Amino acid sequence: MELRHLRYFRAVAEELHFGRAAERLHIAQPPLSQQIRQLERELQVTLLNRSTRSVELTAAGRVYLSRVVEILDAVDAAGEQARRTEQGVEGRLMIGCVGSATYSLLPALVRELRRMLPDVDVNVQGEMLAPAQVDALRAGEIDLGLLRPPVRHPDVAVEALRRERLLVALPTDHRLAGRESIDVADLADEEFISHAGQGRSRMQAELTALCAAAGFVPMVRHEAEETSTLVTLVAAGLGVAIVPEPTSGLDLAGVCYLPLVDPAFIDLVAAYRSPGPDPLVANVVRVLRTIV
């Protein structure tokens, strides 16, 4: 038995006329009659009562038709879903995201995806360090990463999204809070709150580099896994921090953000498994570009 036998039977059962069914199927009537008889022989069931004037479904034929319709509709739906998946407009997407992008870029992205790709099931894992995202991409645990470069792995490709200015996050009652901008050297005696990561955090590395260029090693007194926690510690007066500008969107009471005298920047990139991206990820990256 093949699917065409089911399609032939459905046409005859719905038309109750071999001639009209043959026209609907774009085949000749004699082969259609032969295929229906072949189906009945295989099933060992009479599906149709035929006479010179009419065609009627038997009781078995009516039962069989209801199941055939379900099967063919399911096959057609599966084919349509496969086509939409290949086009990148349907499917499941897991996104990994660094902290500051979680609060700034991600909400706008999810809203736009719901509008432009409503049949995509979007899931998010926020506050992921870049190395963790790279590992998750390679393992197939996430499909798209929003992270900080560099990414030095042949299995992962990246596309630049935007450059983000670095700011100093200070308690609002800090002695430097009234300035228009801050020189990194002015922070030499300050206690810092840093992104945690045992040397794997890109922001932690950026803090070390900025301070080294200013001639000192930062006194890191506290580390935070999540950007929101880091800013909360600043608000509590436990230290100062260097953060990407989108972090200021958290708008937490007790914290102010000031630019550096010598502006510094950090990049945000989209990352996906090489040699991709697959159609769904490619569509999402296009949406990302319209946002940034």
Side-chain angles (χ1 to χ4, degrees):
M1 185 188 303
E2 301 177 13
L3 278 177
R4 61 186 174 89
H5 292 111
L6 302 184
R7 296 191 189 280
Y8 291 170
F9 170 71
R10 179 178 183 175
V12 174
E14 291 177 346
E15 297 291 343
L16 293 178
H17 192 282
F18 276 89
R20 290 194 298 269
E23 290 179 6
R24 171 174 158 181
L25 296 166
H26 305 292
I27 62 174
Q29 183 173 333
L32 175 59
S33 298
Q34 293 172 6
Q35 294 294 322
I36 297 300
R37 292 194 181 279
Q38 180 181 334
L39 176 62
E40 289 177 317
R41 285 196 299 271
E42 183 168 343
L43 295 173
Q44 298 182 344
V45 169
T46 300
L47 300 172
L48 299 165
N49 287 325
R50 307 159 177 84
S51 70
T52 56
R53 294 185 177 181
S54 66
V55 177
E56 294 181 350
L57 284 166
T58 64
R62 286 191 293 273
V63 171
Y64 193 64
L65 175 62
S66 66
R67 298 300 299 272
V68 164
V69 169
E70 292 175 2
I71 292 168
L72 292 178
D73 287 351
V75 169
D76 292 342
E80 177 62 19
Q81 187 175 23
R83 286 186 289 273
R84 290 177 59 80
T85 300
E86 186 176 60
Q87 295 164 2
V89 296
E90 184 172 339
R92 182 178 182 276
L93 182 79
M94 176 65 79
I95 302 175
C97 194
V98 294
S100 58
T102 302
Y103 312 116
S104 61
L105 181 58
L106 204 57
L109 173 61
V110 172
R111 284 195 299 270
E112 195 67 6
L113 289 178
R114 284 178 177 171
R115 186 180 71 85
M116 298 185 66
L117 298 171
D119 292 325
V120 174
D121 178 19
V122 180
N123 296 273
V124 176
Q125 186 169 348
E127 296 282 7
M128 290 184 72
L129 295 177
Q133 290 191 51
V134 171
D135 291 344
L137 283 168
R138 296 181 61 209
E141 295 168 356
I142 64 174
D143 306 293
L144 178 68
L146 303 177
L147 51 83
R148 310 291 181 190
V151 176
R152 300 187 181 93
H153 202 289
D155 292 345
V156 178
V158 300
E159 291 189 32
L161 292 177
R162 68 186 184 192
R163 300 200 77 196
E164 298 175 352
R165 184 171 58 159
L166 294 178
L167 303 178
V168 182
L170 301 163
T172 51
D173 59 357
H174 193 277
R175 62 183 179 85
L176 300 174
R179 294 189 180 185
E180 292 186 359
S181 61
I182 295 182
D183 193 312
V184 175
D186 293 337
L187 303 173
D189 296 326
E190 298 293 329
E191 294 186 345
F192 280 85
I193 303 168
S194 170
H195 289 80
Q198 296 77 47
R200 303 176 76 226
S201 165
R202 182 70 180 86
M203 281 304 304
Q204 189 181 68
E206 192 67 22
L207 170 64
T208 301
L210 283 172
C211 294
F216 69 97
V217 176
M219 294 186 294
V220 177
R221 296 304 187 199
H222 302 277
E223 292 187 348
E225 293 286 346
E226 299 183 352
T227 301
S228 58
T229 303
L230 181 147
V231 176
T232 299
L233 295 178
V234 173
L238 297 180
V240 303
I242 302 293
V243 297
E245 187 169 17
T247 304
S248 63
L250 285 172
D251 195 26
L252 189 67
V255 181
C256 65
Y257 301 89
L258 298 179
L260 295 169
V261 172
D262 296 320
F265 300 87
I266 191 167
D267 291 332
L268 181 71
V269 302
Y272 45 80
R273 287 184 293 278
S274 183
D278 65 29
L280 175 53
V281 172
N283 285 341
V284 174
V285 171
R286 279 192 286 271
V287 172
L288 266 171
R289 291 194 177 284
T290 67
I291 295 172
V292 301

